[in-house]
Amino acid sequence: MSPTREMWEGLRDLLRDQGGLDELEVAASIFVALLMLDAVESVFEHRELRKRLEQTVY
């Protein structure tokens, strides 16, 4: 799923750029990122939204 992949890649790049983080900060960042990815994924579980997105021309 493209939006989820883009968010994950953005987070990965952000964590790579933050070289001074300790283990707790990295773990917290990953946990928050997983919650965000779950939230994005849940948006696409709504049938009406998926139907509308399928009809939209980009």
PDB file of all heavy atoms in Angstrom, residues 19-52:
ATOM      1  N   GLY A  19      21.174  10.154  14.390  1.00  0.00           N
ATOM      2  CA  GLY A  19      22.179   9.225  14.887  1.00  0.00           C
ATOM      3  C   GLY A  19      22.400   9.278  16.387  1.00  0.00           C
ATOM      4  O   GLY A  19      22.870   8.326  16.983  1.00  0.00           O
ATOM      5  N   GLY A  20      22.026  10.358  17.057  1.00  0.00           N
ATOM      6  CA  GLY A  20      22.295  10.494  18.477  1.00  0.00           C
ATOM      7  C   GLY A  20      21.216   9.935  19.384  1.00  0.00           C
ATOM      8  O   GLY A  20      21.254  10.156  20.588  1.00  0.00           O
ATOM      9  N   LEU A  21      20.252   9.196  18.851  1.00  0.00           N
ATOM     10  CA  LEU A  21      19.184   8.655  19.679  1.00  0.00           C
ATOM     11  C   LEU A  21      19.675   7.461  20.485  1.00  0.00           C
ATOM     12  O   LEU A  21      20.457   6.648  19.998  1.00  0.00           O
ATOM     13  CB  LEU A  21      18.005   8.208  18.816  1.00  0.00           C
ATOM     14  CG  LEU A  21      17.267   9.277  18.021  1.00  0.00           C
ATOM     15  CD1 LEU A  21      16.159   8.639  17.197  1.00  0.00           C
ATOM     16  CD2 LEU A  21      16.697  10.345  18.934  1.00  0.00           C
ATOM     17  N   ASP A  22      19.195   7.367  21.735  1.00  0.00           N
ATOM     18  CA  ASP A  22      19.535   6.173  22.513  1.00  0.00           C
ATOM     19  C   ASP A  22      18.514   5.074  22.203  1.00  0.00           C
ATOM     20  O   ASP A  22      17.556   5.282  21.457  1.00  0.00           O
ATOM     21  CB  ASP A  22      19.602   6.481  24.008  1.00  0.00           C
ATOM     22  CG  ASP A  22      18.278   6.939  24.605  1.00  0.00           C
ATOM     23  OD1 ASP A  22      17.215   6.577  24.059  1.00  0.00           O
ATOM     24  OD2 ASP A  22      18.314   7.644  25.626  1.00  0.00           O
ATOM     25  N   GLU A  23      18.709   3.890  22.767  1.00  0.00           N
ATOM     26  CA  GLU A  23      17.863   2.744  22.442  1.00  0.00           C
ATOM     27  C   GLU A  23      16.402   2.982  22.803  1.00  0.00           C
ATOM     28  O   GLU A  23      15.503   2.571  22.068  1.00  0.00           O
ATOM     29  CB  GLU A  23      18.370   1.493  23.159  1.00  0.00           C
ATOM     30  CG  GLU A  23      19.672   0.968  22.607  1.00  0.00           C
ATOM     31  CD  GLU A  23      20.124  -0.303  23.315  1.00  0.00           C
ATOM     32  OE1 GLU A  23      19.275  -0.990  23.923  1.00  0.00           O
ATOM     33  OE2 GLU A  23      21.318  -0.600  23.257  1.00  0.00           O
ATOM     34  N   LEU A  24      16.138   3.641  23.917  1.00  0.00           N
ATOM     35  CA  LEU A  24      14.768   3.905  24.334  1.00  0.00           C
ATOM     36  C   LEU A  24      14.076   4.840  23.351  1.00  0.00           C
ATOM     37  O   LEU A  24      12.920   4.633  22.987  1.00  0.00           O
ATOM     38  CB  LEU A  24      14.740   4.498  25.738  1.00  0.00           C
ATOM     39  CG  LEU A  24      13.355   4.809  26.300  1.00  0.00           C
ATOM     40  CD1 LEU A  24      12.505   3.546  26.358  1.00  0.00           C
ATOM     41  CD2 LEU A  24      13.480   5.449  27.664  1.00  0.00           C
ATOM     42  N   GLU A  25      14.775   5.870  22.895  1.00  0.00           N
ATOM     43  CA  GLU A  25      14.197   6.809  21.928  1.00  0.00           C
ATOM     44  C   GLU A  25      13.900   6.127  20.597  1.00  0.00           C
ATOM     45  O   GLU A  25      12.870   6.382  19.973  1.00  0.00           O
ATOM     46  CB  GLU A  25      15.126   8.000  21.723  1.00  0.00           C
ATOM     47  CG  GLU A  25      15.230   8.887  22.948  1.00  0.00           C
ATOM     48  CD  GLU A  25      16.323   9.926  22.831  1.00  0.00           C
ATOM     49  OE1 GLU A  25      17.411   9.616  22.291  1.00  0.00           O
ATOM     50  OE2 GLU A  25      16.085  11.061  23.287  1.00  0.00           O
ATOM     51  N   VAL A  26      14.796   5.253  20.161  1.00  0.00           N
ATOM     52  CA  VAL A  26      14.563   4.520  18.910  1.00  0.00           C
ATOM     53  C   VAL A  26      13.364   3.594  19.062  1.00  0.00           C
ATOM     54  O   VAL A  26      12.487   3.548  18.197  1.00  0.00           O
ATOM     55  CB  VAL A  26      15.823   3.724  18.498  1.00  0.00           C
ATOM     56  CG1 VAL A  26      15.513   2.780  17.343  1.00  0.00           C
ATOM     57  CG2 VAL A  26      16.947   4.665  18.112  1.00  0.00           C
ATOM     58  N   ALA A  27      13.288   2.883  20.186  1.00  0.00           N
ATOM     59  CA  ALA A  27      12.159   1.975  20.424  1.00  0.00           C
ATOM     60  C   ALA A  27      10.844   2.750  20.469  1.00  0.00           C
ATOM     61  O   ALA A  27       9.841   2.321  19.893  1.00  0.00           O
ATOM     62  CB  ALA A  27      12.371   1.200  21.721  1.00  0.00           C
ATOM     63  N   ALA A  28      10.838   3.891  21.135  1.00  0.00           N
ATOM     64  CA  ALA A  28       9.630   4.714  21.213  1.00  0.00           C
ATOM     65  C   ALA A  28       9.237   5.223  19.825  1.00  0.00           C
ATOM     66  O   ALA A  28       8.053   5.225  19.477  1.00  0.00           O
ATOM     67  CB  ALA A  28       9.847   5.883  22.168  1.00  0.00           C
ATOM     68  N   SER A  29      10.205   5.632  19.038  1.00  0.00           N
ATOM     69  CA  SER A  29       9.933   6.123  17.683  1.00  0.00           C
ATOM     70  C   SER A  29       9.334   5.023  16.818  1.00  0.00           C
ATOM     71  O   SER A  29       8.383   5.262  16.060  1.00  0.00           O
ATOM     72  CB  SER A  29      11.209   6.651  17.032  1.00  0.00           C
ATOM     73  OG  SER A  29      11.711   7.746  17.748  1.00  0.00           O
ATOM     74  N   ILE A  30       9.872   3.825  16.932  1.00  0.00           N
ATOM     75  CA  ILE A  30       9.356   2.704  16.148  1.00  0.00           C
ATOM     76  C   ILE A  30       7.932   2.363  16.585  1.00  0.00           C
ATOM     77  O   ILE A  30       7.053   2.123  15.756  1.00  0.00           O
ATOM     78  CB  ILE A  30      10.287   1.483  16.263  1.00  0.00           C
ATOM     79  CG1 ILE A  30      11.598   1.790  15.528  1.00  0.00           C
ATOM     80  CG2 ILE A  30       9.629   0.224  15.719  1.00  0.00           C
ATOM     81  CD1 ILE A  30      12.686   0.773  15.738  1.00  0.00           C
ATOM     82  N   PHE A  31       7.687   2.368  17.894  1.00  0.00           N
ATOM     83  CA  PHE A  31       6.350   2.076  18.408  1.00  0.00           C
ATOM     84  C   PHE A  31       5.330   3.087  17.891  1.00  0.00           C
ATOM     85  O   PHE A  31       4.255   2.727  17.426  1.00  0.00           O
ATOM     86  CB  PHE A  31       6.366   2.060  19.936  1.00  0.00           C
ATOM     87  CG  PHE A  31       5.039   1.743  20.546  1.00  0.00           C
ATOM     88  CD1 PHE A  31       4.513   0.461  20.473  1.00  0.00           C
ATOM     89  CD2 PHE A  31       4.307   2.724  21.186  1.00  0.00           C
ATOM     90  CE1 PHE A  31       3.275   0.164  21.027  1.00  0.00           C
ATOM     91  CE2 PHE A  31       3.076   2.439  21.740  1.00  0.00           C
ATOM     92  CZ  PHE A  31       2.561   1.159  21.662  1.00  0.00           C
ATOM     93  N   VAL A  32       5.672   4.354  17.960  1.00  0.00           N
ATOM     94  CA  VAL A  32       4.772   5.399  17.465  1.00  0.00           C
ATOM     95  C   VAL A  32       4.558   5.243  15.959  1.00  0.00           C
ATOM     96  O   VAL A  32       3.440   5.391  15.460  1.00  0.00           O
ATOM     97  CB  VAL A  32       5.310   6.804  17.813  1.00  0.00           C
ATOM     98  CG1 VAL A  32       4.533   7.888  17.090  1.00  0.00           C
ATOM     99  CG2 VAL A  32       5.278   7.021  19.316  1.00  0.00           C
ATOM    100  N   ALA A  33       5.618   4.923  15.241  1.00  0.00           N
ATOM    101  CA  ALA A  33       5.494   4.738  13.796  1.00  0.00           C
ATOM    102  C   ALA A  33       4.552   3.589  13.471  1.00  0.00           C
ATOM    103  O   ALA A  33       3.727   3.690  12.552  1.00  0.00           O
ATOM    104  CB  ALA A  33       6.860   4.485  13.182  1.00  0.00           C
ATOM    105  N   LEU A  34       4.653   2.499  14.220  1.00  0.00           N
ATOM    106  CA  LEU A  34       3.755   1.367  13.981  1.00  0.00           C
ATOM    107  C   LEU A  34       2.308   1.752  14.250  1.00  0.00           C
ATOM    108  O   LEU A  34       1.404   1.350  13.508  1.00  0.00           O
ATOM    109  CB  LEU A  34       4.161   0.175  14.844  1.00  0.00           C
ATOM    110  CG  LEU A  34       5.468  -0.501  14.439  1.00  0.00           C
ATOM    111  CD1 LEU A  34       5.847  -1.575  15.444  1.00  0.00           C
ATOM    112  CD2 LEU A  34       5.370  -1.082  13.043  1.00  0.00           C
ATOM    113  N   LEU A  35       2.078   2.540  15.295  1.00  0.00           N
ATOM    114  CA  LEU A  35       0.720   3.013  15.567  1.00  0.00           C
ATOM    115  C   LEU A  35       0.209   3.887  14.426  1.00  0.00           C
ATOM    116  O   LEU A  35      -0.955   3.785  14.023  1.00  0.00           O
ATOM    117  CB  LEU A  35       0.676   3.782  16.886  1.00  0.00           C
ATOM    118  CG  LEU A  35       0.891   2.964  18.153  1.00  0.00           C
ATOM    119  CD1 LEU A  35       0.918   3.882  19.372  1.00  0.00           C
ATOM    120  CD2 LEU A  35      -0.169   1.893  18.305  1.00  0.00           C
ATOM    121  N   MET A  36       1.077   4.739  13.896  1.00  0.00           N
ATOM    122  CA  MET A  36       0.684   5.595  12.778  1.00  0.00           C
ATOM    123  C   MET A  36       0.373   4.766  11.535  1.00  0.00           C
ATOM    124  O   MET A  36      -0.605   5.026  10.824  1.00  0.00           O
ATOM    125  CB  MET A  36       1.778   6.617  12.479  1.00  0.00           C
ATOM    126  CG  MET A  36       1.906   7.682  13.538  1.00  0.00           C
ATOM    127  SD  MET A  36       3.273   8.826  13.244  1.00  0.00           S
ATOM    128  CE  MET A  36       2.862   9.462  11.633  1.00  0.00           C
ATOM    129  N   LEU A  37       1.197   3.770  11.269  1.00  0.00           N
ATOM    130  CA  LEU A  37       0.964   2.916  10.103  1.00  0.00           C
ATOM    131  C   LEU A  37      -0.340   2.145  10.259  1.00  0.00           C
ATOM    132  O   LEU A  37      -1.089   1.974   9.286  1.00  0.00           O
ATOM    133  CB  LEU A  37       2.142   1.967   9.893  1.00  0.00           C
ATOM    134  CG  LEU A  37       3.447   2.643   9.498  1.00  0.00           C
ATOM    135  CD1 LEU A  37       4.576   1.616   9.470  1.00  0.00           C
ATOM    136  CD2 LEU A  37       3.331   3.339   8.166  1.00  0.00           C
ATOM    137  N   ASP A  38      -0.633   1.681  11.469  1.00  0.00           N
ATOM    138  CA  ASP A  38      -1.909   1.006  11.721  1.00  0.00           C
ATOM    139  C   ASP A  38      -3.079   1.952  11.465  1.00  0.00           C
ATOM    140  O   ASP A  38      -4.102   1.550  10.926  1.00  0.00           O
ATOM    141  CB  ASP A  38      -1.978   0.483  13.155  1.00  0.00           C
ATOM    142  CG  ASP A  38      -1.148  -0.770  13.365  1.00  0.00           C
ATOM    143  OD1 ASP A  38      -0.754  -1.410  12.363  1.00  0.00           O
ATOM    144  OD2 ASP A  38      -0.882  -1.110  14.541  1.00  0.00           O
ATOM    145  N   ALA A  39      -2.918   3.209  11.862  1.00  0.00           N
ATOM    146  CA  ALA A  39      -3.977   4.197  11.649  1.00  0.00           C
ATOM    147  C   ALA A  39      -4.210   4.431  10.155  1.00  0.00           C
ATOM    148  O   ALA A  39      -5.355   4.497   9.702  1.00  0.00           O
ATOM    149  CB  ALA A  39      -3.631   5.507  12.349  1.00  0.00           C
ATOM    150  N   VAL A  40      -3.136   4.548   9.396  1.00  0.00           N
ATOM    151  CA  VAL A  40      -3.269   4.741   7.944  1.00  0.00           C
ATOM    152  C   VAL A  40      -3.945   3.525   7.325  1.00  0.00           C
ATOM    153  O   VAL A  40      -4.860   3.649   6.501  1.00  0.00           O
ATOM    154  CB  VAL A  40      -1.892   4.988   7.285  1.00  0.00           C
ATOM    155  CG1 VAL A  40      -1.996   4.925   5.774  1.00  0.00           C
ATOM    156  CG2 VAL A  40      -1.330   6.318   7.739  1.00  0.00           C
ATOM    157  N   GLU A  41      -3.515   2.345   7.744  1.00  0.00           N
ATOM    158  CA  GLU A  41      -4.106   1.125   7.204  1.00  0.00           C
ATOM    159  C   GLU A  41      -5.596   1.039   7.529  1.00  0.00           C
ATOM    160  O   GLU A  41      -6.402   0.644   6.687  1.00  0.00           O
ATOM    161  CB  GLU A  41      -3.384  -0.095   7.766  1.00  0.00           C
ATOM    162  CG  GLU A  41      -3.868  -1.404   7.196  1.00  0.00           C
ATOM    163  CD  GLU A  41      -3.118  -2.590   7.752  1.00  0.00           C
ATOM    164  OE1 GLU A  41      -2.709  -2.552   8.929  1.00  0.00           O
ATOM    165  OE2 GLU A  41      -2.941  -3.553   6.999  1.00  0.00           O
ATOM    166  N   SER A  42      -5.980   1.445   8.728  1.00  0.00           N
ATOM    167  CA  SER A  42      -7.388   1.362   9.116  1.00  0.00           C
ATOM    168  C   SER A  42      -8.267   2.286   8.277  1.00  0.00           C
ATOM    169  O   SER A  42      -9.452   2.004   8.074  1.00  0.00           O
ATOM    170  CB  SER A  42      -7.558   1.662  10.605  1.00  0.00           C
ATOM    171  OG  SER A  42      -7.320   3.015  10.881  1.00  0.00           O
ATOM    172  N   VAL A  43      -7.703   3.387   7.790  1.00  0.00           N
ATOM    173  CA  VAL A  43      -8.468   4.282   6.917  1.00  0.00           C
ATOM    174  C   VAL A  43      -8.925   3.532   5.672  1.00  0.00           C
ATOM    175  O   VAL A  43     -10.048   3.700   5.206  1.00  0.00           O
ATOM    176  CB  VAL A  43      -7.630   5.524   6.539  1.00  0.00           C
ATOM    177  CG1 VAL A  43      -8.277   6.298   5.407  1.00  0.00           C
ATOM    178  CG2 VAL A  43      -7.421   6.409   7.752  1.00  0.00           C
ATOM    179  N   PHE A  44      -8.079   2.674   5.156  1.00  0.00           N
ATOM    180  CA  PHE A  44      -8.388   1.962   3.926  1.00  0.00           C
ATOM    181  C   PHE A  44      -9.298   0.757   4.165  1.00  0.00           C
ATOM    182  O   PHE A  44      -9.680   0.070   3.230  1.00  0.00           O
ATOM    183  CB  PHE A  44      -7.104   1.546   3.216  1.00  0.00           C
ATOM    184  CG  PHE A  44      -6.376   2.729   2.648  1.00  0.00           C
ATOM    185  CD1 PHE A  44      -5.373   3.348   3.372  1.00  0.00           C
ATOM    186  CD2 PHE A  44      -6.721   3.248   1.418  1.00  0.00           C
ATOM    187  CE1 PHE A  44      -4.719   4.464   2.868  1.00  0.00           C
ATOM    188  CE2 PHE A  44      -6.075   4.361   0.909  1.00  0.00           C
ATOM    189  CZ  PHE A  44      -5.077   4.966   1.638  1.00  0.00           C
ATOM    190  N   GLU A  45      -9.677   0.516   5.418  1.00  0.00           N
ATOM    191  CA  GLU A  45     -10.627  -0.553   5.712  1.00  0.00           C
ATOM    192  C   GLU A  45     -12.067  -0.097   5.506  1.00  0.00           C
ATOM    193  O   GLU A  45     -12.979  -0.903   5.543  1.00  0.00           O
ATOM    194  CB  GLU A  45     -10.432  -1.054   7.143  1.00  0.00           C
ATOM    195  CG  GLU A  45      -9.108  -1.774   7.334  1.00  0.00           C
ATOM    196  CD  GLU A  45      -8.856  -2.157   8.774  1.00  0.00           C
ATOM    197  OE1 GLU A  45      -9.680  -1.838   9.648  1.00  0.00           O
ATOM    198  OE2 GLU A  45      -7.808  -2.772   9.018  1.00  0.00           O
ATOM    199  N   HIS A  46     -12.285   1.190   5.266  1.00  0.00           N
ATOM    200  CA  HIS A  46     -13.627   1.721   5.036  1.00  0.00           C
ATOM    201  C   HIS A  46     -13.997   1.533   3.569  1.00  0.00           C
ATOM    202  O   HIS A  46     -13.359   2.088   2.674  1.00  0.00           O
ATOM    203  CB  HIS A  46     -13.696   3.198   5.425  1.00  0.00           C
ATOM    204  CG  HIS A  46     -13.448   3.429   6.883  1.00  0.00           C
ATOM    205  ND1 HIS A  46     -14.413   3.206   7.829  1.00  0.00           N
ATOM    206  CD2 HIS A  46     -12.340   3.829   7.550  1.00  0.00           C
ATOM    207  CE1 HIS A  46     -13.921   3.466   9.018  1.00  0.00           C
ATOM    208  NE2 HIS A  46     -12.669   3.846   8.886  1.00  0.00           N
ATOM    209  N   ARG A  47     -15.018   0.742   3.357  1.00  0.00           N
ATOM    210  CA  ARG A  47     -15.414   0.375   2.005  1.00  0.00           C
ATOM    211  C   ARG A  47     -15.749   1.591   1.140  1.00  0.00           C
ATOM    212  O   ARG A  47     -15.357   1.667  -0.026  1.00  0.00           O
ATOM    213  CB  ARG A  47     -16.609  -0.568   2.085  1.00  0.00           C
ATOM    214  CG  ARG A  47     -16.904  -1.257   0.785  1.00  0.00           C
ATOM    215  CD  ARG A  47     -17.941  -2.352   0.996  1.00  0.00           C
ATOM    216  NE  ARG A  47     -19.039  -2.068   0.093  1.00  0.00           N
ATOM    217  CZ  ARG A  47     -20.309  -2.027   0.429  1.00  0.00           C
ATOM    218  NH1 ARG A  47     -20.675  -2.269   1.645  1.00  0.00           N
ATOM    219  NH2 ARG A  47     -21.222  -1.755  -0.463  1.00  0.00           N
ATOM    220  N   GLU A  48     -16.448   2.564   1.724  1.00  0.00           N
ATOM    221  CA  GLU A  48     -16.846   3.740   0.950  1.00  0.00           C
ATOM    222  C   GLU A  48     -15.625   4.537   0.484  1.00  0.00           C
ATOM    223  O   GLU A  48     -15.602   5.045  -0.639  1.00  0.00           O
ATOM    224  CB  GLU A  48     -17.765   4.644   1.785  1.00  0.00           C
ATOM    225  CG  GLU A  48     -19.086   4.007   2.131  1.00  0.00           C
ATOM    226  CD  GLU A  48     -19.004   3.090   3.341  1.00  0.00           C
ATOM    227  OE1 GLU A  48     -17.998   3.146   4.083  1.00  0.00           O
ATOM    228  OE2 GLU A  48     -19.939   2.309   3.541  1.00  0.00           O
ATOM    229  N   LEU A  49     -14.627   4.652   1.343  1.00  0.00           N
ATOM    230  CA  LEU A  49     -13.409   5.380   0.966  1.00  0.00           C
ATOM    231  C   LEU A  49     -12.665   4.647  -0.147  1.00  0.00           C
ATOM    232  O   LEU A  49     -12.235   5.268  -1.119  1.00  0.00           O
ATOM    233  CB  LEU A  49     -12.490   5.564   2.173  1.00  0.00           C
ATOM    234  CG  LEU A  49     -11.151   6.234   1.872  1.00  0.00           C
ATOM    235  CD1 LEU A  49     -11.358   7.645   1.329  1.00  0.00           C
ATOM    236  CD2 LEU A  49     -10.278   6.263   3.110  1.00  0.00           C
ATOM    237  N   ARG A  50     -12.514   3.353  -0.021  1.00  0.00           N
ATOM    238  CA  ARG A  50     -11.829   2.585  -1.072  1.00  0.00           C
ATOM    239  C   ARG A  50     -12.561   2.729  -2.400  1.00  0.00           C
ATOM    240  O   ARG A  50     -11.934   2.902  -3.446  1.00  0.00           O
ATOM    241  CB  ARG A  50     -11.730   1.108  -0.678  1.00  0.00           C
ATOM    242  CG  ARG A  50     -10.648   0.805   0.307  1.00  0.00           C
ATOM    243  CD  ARG A  50     -10.327  -0.679   0.368  1.00  0.00           C
ATOM    244  NE  ARG A  50     -11.471  -1.542   0.278  1.00  0.00           N
ATOM    245  CZ  ARG A  50     -12.152  -2.029   1.315  1.00  0.00           C
ATOM    246  NH1 ARG A  50     -11.803  -1.711   2.532  1.00  0.00           N
ATOM    247  NH2 ARG A  50     -13.175  -2.837   1.123  1.00  0.00           N
ATOM    248  N   LYS A  51     -13.882   2.686  -2.356  1.00  0.00           N
ATOM    249  CA  LYS A  51     -14.669   2.810  -3.585  1.00  0.00           C
ATOM    250  C   LYS A  51     -14.429   4.171  -4.229  1.00  0.00           C
ATOM    251  O   LYS A  51     -14.219   4.269  -5.444  1.00  0.00           O
ATOM    252  CB  LYS A  51     -16.149   2.626  -3.266  1.00  0.00           C
ATOM    253  CG  LYS A  51     -17.038   2.609  -4.469  1.00  0.00           C
ATOM    254  CD  LYS A  51     -18.474   2.322  -4.078  1.00  0.00           C
ATOM    255  CE  LYS A  51     -19.368   2.363  -5.299  1.00  0.00           C
ATOM    256  NZ  LYS A  51     -20.766   2.105  -4.937  1.00  0.00           N
ATOM    257  N   ARG A  52     -14.415   5.215  -3.414  1.00  0.00           N
ATOM    258  CA  ARG A  52     -14.188   6.561  -3.954  1.00  0.00           C
ATOM    259  C   ARG A  52     -12.771   6.700  -4.513  1.00  0.00           C
ATOM    260  O   ARG A  52     -12.562   7.291  -5.569  1.00  0.00           O
ATOM    261  CB  ARG A  52     -14.425   7.609  -2.877  1.00  0.00           C
ATOM    262  CG  ARG A  52     -14.207   8.986  -3.410  1.00  0.00           C
ATOM    263  CD  ARG A  52     -14.593  10.034  -2.444  1.00  0.00           C
ATOM    264  NE  ARG A  52     -14.227  11.321  -3.007  1.00  0.00           N
ATOM    265  CZ  ARG A  52     -14.897  12.401  -2.838  1.00  0.00           C
ATOM    266  NH1 ARG A  52     -15.982  12.395  -2.118  1.00  0.00           N
ATOM    267  NH2 ARG A  52     -14.501  13.515  -3.366  1.00  0.00           N
TER     268      ARG A  52
END
